[in-house]
Amino acid sequence: MTSAAQVLGISSALIATVTFAAAFTLPGGYRADEHTDGGTPTLAGSYPFDAFIISNSLAFICSLLATVSLLYSGIQSRDISIRRRYYAFSMLLMQSSTTSFTVAFAMGMYLVLAPVTLNAAVSVCIIAFVSLLPGNMEIGVSLAIANTLRIRLGIWAAMSQARPVLLFTWKRVWSCIIIFGLPGLMKIHRTKMA
């Protein structure tokens, strides 16, 4: 567990470093100082920009928390049950960080490419989404078990797999719900305020 924590700690620290840098080198750059809003991001307020900011922030926070949890899980003087809990928590945070990091990359590329070549921008988003699928193999296994139970024992037996599928899905997509839901809510709120 200590060596696994060290290897994962490097990955989580790397994601934290890259997302920290991305927060200050925003896609589209900044407005000139002579502008009334000088120094502010040029693309601020658009849905893709808001999604980029939220996904980048989530990736940073999740990877930072994962790094701290991995530090605790790697301390051999702690009780093994506590170390396992920290390790499991850090794995969940790393998955969320990776998902958020991938979405931040896709949104950043979309912001830069969409005005010039929409096809390339959409292609990057599709590739990013597809790259997240291999980490979701467990859900396919649960669905296959549910289907087998449905065929052999009926629909109520298959429902026993609903909880694991929903729990697994929630663990994988909670960050995407925030990333794509919050900018929509912010846009609705801005519209009502105007």
Side-chain angles (χ1 to χ4, degrees), residues 14-26:
L14 181 62
I15 291 174
T17 303
V18 171
T19 54
F20 183 83
F24 299 103
T25 54
L26 298 173

Side-chain angles (χ1 to χ4, degrees), residues 52-116:
F52 168 79
I53 293 295
I54 292 168
S55 61
N56 193 62
S57 300
L58 270 176
F60 176 75
I61 290 166
C62 288
S63 64
L64 196 63
L65 291 174
T67 304
V68 172
S69 290
L70 286 166
L71 288 172
Y72 284 125
S73 72
I75 299 173
Q76 292 180 354
S77 61
R78 288 189 170 263
D79 182 53
I80 192 70
S81 63
I82 293 172
R83 291 175 62 199
R84 283 189 181 133
R85 277 186 259 154
Y86 276 117
Y87 186 79
F89 183 60
S90 66
M91 290 303 294
L92 173 65
L93 288 169
M94 278 298 293
Q95 290 170 348
S96 299
S97 174
T98 304
T99 300
S100 300
F101 186 62
T102 304
V103 171
F105 173 78
M107 289 292 98
M109 292 299 288
Y110 182 85
L111 281 164
V112 172
L113 294 175
V116 211

Side-chain angles (χ1 to χ4, degrees), residues 105-128:
F105 173 78
M107 289 292 98
M109 292 299 288
Y110 182 85
L111 281 164
V112 172
L113 294 175
V116 211
T117 172
L118 186 60
N119 289 339
V122 171
S123 297
V124 168
C125 292
I126 291 170
I127 290 168

Side-chain angles (χ1 to χ4, degrees), residues 117-167:
T117 172
L118 186 60
N119 289 339
V122 171
S123 297
V124 168
C125 292
I126 291 170
I127 290 168
F129 172 74
V130 170
S131 75
L132 294 172
L133 293 178
N136 298 323
M137 297 290 186
E138 294 95 356
I139 199 163
V141 172
S142 292
L143 291 172
I145 291 170
N147 189 43
T148 303
L149 288 171
R150 182 190 58 80
I151 291 168
R152 291 184 181 175
L153 302 173
I155 190 70
W156 294 111
M159 295 302 283
S160 67
Q161 288 298 306
R163 185 172 183 265
V165 167
L166 291 174
L167 184 61

